Every structure is written in structure tokens, then in C-alpha cells.
Amino acid sequence: MKHNDFITIGVIIAPHGVRGDLRIMPRTDFPERFMHMDACYIDGKEYHVASARFHKQFVLASFKEIPDRNAAELFAKKEIQVRREDLVELPEGRYYIFDIIGLEVQDTKGNVLGTVTDVLQPGANDVYVVSKDGEPDQLFAAIEEVVKDIDVEHKLMIVDPPEWI
């Protein structure tokens, strides 16, 4: 399996307790997935979830392959990943950030404006950072009035920039 076939859904912060539990900071909009997940990957190796529960903003999980605290200590700062095909299916019109980054951006007249290089999440809505060599970055609000179409399969985003841009 290639590295880009794995998607990070959490980061192990530290061991928790003496039985080998791990304290995980979720990096997903669906942290409840840890409660019913059978397996995940750490450093490309498959691990099987024995149990999981929420504790404050963390997920506390135990894995069949991690028997005690000594073993758990080796996992601090490692990423919890799943295969791309095991991601939670999003509703129509919603996209994963990693699918948005790299899309070519065109305006409604077919002019290439650049490529999405980052997605900012300041609060009310996401903001797409569009870069083009030799030009300043452009920022586009991820709202229906601006983003007219996203075609992940063809790696294309169509925008109708406001007049002041």
C-alpha cells in the first residue's frame, strides 16, 4: 500500500494509565468513528482496536497488539491512519481537504487562476488559497456564491470571483 493510501484521523499524544491505553487527539470531523473502528494503521502496520472511549477532548483507546504501558510509550507522537476506502462517506457537496488541495482553479470564463495550495479554517467558512507562479495568492471563500463547481475526479474547481478581486 502506498503512503498516500493512508489518511490521518488522529495523533497519539501519550500513554494513558498502566494497561497500554493510548490518549489520541482526533484529527477528524467524525471522532465517534473510533468507537466502532475495528482496525487502523500506525507507521503502516495494522493494529486492532480492543476498546475506545471519550475522555475530555481525547479518545482513549486500547489495541490488541499493545499489551502494557511500556509498549504504549513507544507510540507517542505517532499518527493513527485509515485506508482511503475506510473514510466516512461525506454528503453531496462536502469534500475532504486533502481532495481539495491540488485542484486547478478556473473562473467561469475558463481562465486558469491557479491551484489550491491550502485550505484555511478561520471559522464561519473555509477559505481556499489559490496560488499561481509569479502572482500573489488569491483567497476564495468556500461558499456557493463563489465556488460554483468542484470536480475532484477531474481535479477542477470553478469559481465566480467577486467583482472587487
Side-chain angles (χ1 to χ4, degrees):
M1 209 174 260
K2 297 180 290 190
H3 177 71
N4 62 358
D5 289 338
F6 294 113
I7 308 301
T8 299
I9 62 165
V11 175
I12 299 167
I13 303 301
H16 182 85
V18 296
R19 293 179 286 166
D21 290 353
L22 297 173
R23 187 176 323 132
I24 301 165
M25 175 61 74
R27 296 284 185 236
T28 173
D29 287 341
F30 309 101
E32 64 280 356
R33 73 172 303 143
F34 285 95
M35 303 308 129
H36 54 82
M37 189 166 64
D38 292 326
C40 64
Y41 294 85
I42 304 170
D43 287 341
K45 182 179 175 201
E46 188 174 42
Y47 288 83
H48 298 88
V49 179
S51 68
R53 65 190 186 282
F54 287 111
H55 177 71
K56 300 180 183 175
Q57 77 267 31
F58 301 105
V59 172
L60 301 180
S62 63
F63 295 85
K64 294 175 184 173
E65 296 83 358
I66 304 173
D68 56 38
R69 184 178 179 94
N70 289 339
E73 287 177 355
L74 302 173
F75 290 86
K77 310 293 184 239
K78 295 190 181 276
E79 295 179 343
I80 301 283
Q81 299 180 314
V82 295
R83 295 175 300 183
R84 180 180 277 273
E85 59 265 22
D86 293 333
L87 289 173
V88 173
E89 191 170 326
L90 297 176
E92 181 80 24
R94 299 268 321 262
Y95 305 92
Y96 284 105
I97 289 174
F98 57 82
D99 284 331
I100 296 292
I101 293 177
L103 294 181
E104 178 179 282
V105 179
Q106 296 179 5
D107 65 16
T108 53
K109 297 174 183 147
N111 299 313
V112 176
L113 303 177
T115 303
V116 178
T117 55
D118 199 3
V119 178
L120 308 177
Q121 296 182 298
N125 53 264
D126 290 353
V127 176
Y128 300 135
V129 178
V130 177
S131 302
K132 188 173 184 181
D133 287 341
E135 296 183 17
D137 288 349
Q138 297 182 65
L139 304 177
F140 295 102
I143 57 176
E144 289 179 11
E145 293 81 15
V146 175
V147 179
K148 297 302 181 184
D149 188 37
I150 294 177
D151 186 343
V152 173
E153 185 177 329
H154 293 101
K155 298 198 159 287
L156 181 63
M157 178 185 293
I158 306 296
V159 298
D160 187 10
E163 292 298 319
W164 49 268
I165 291 187

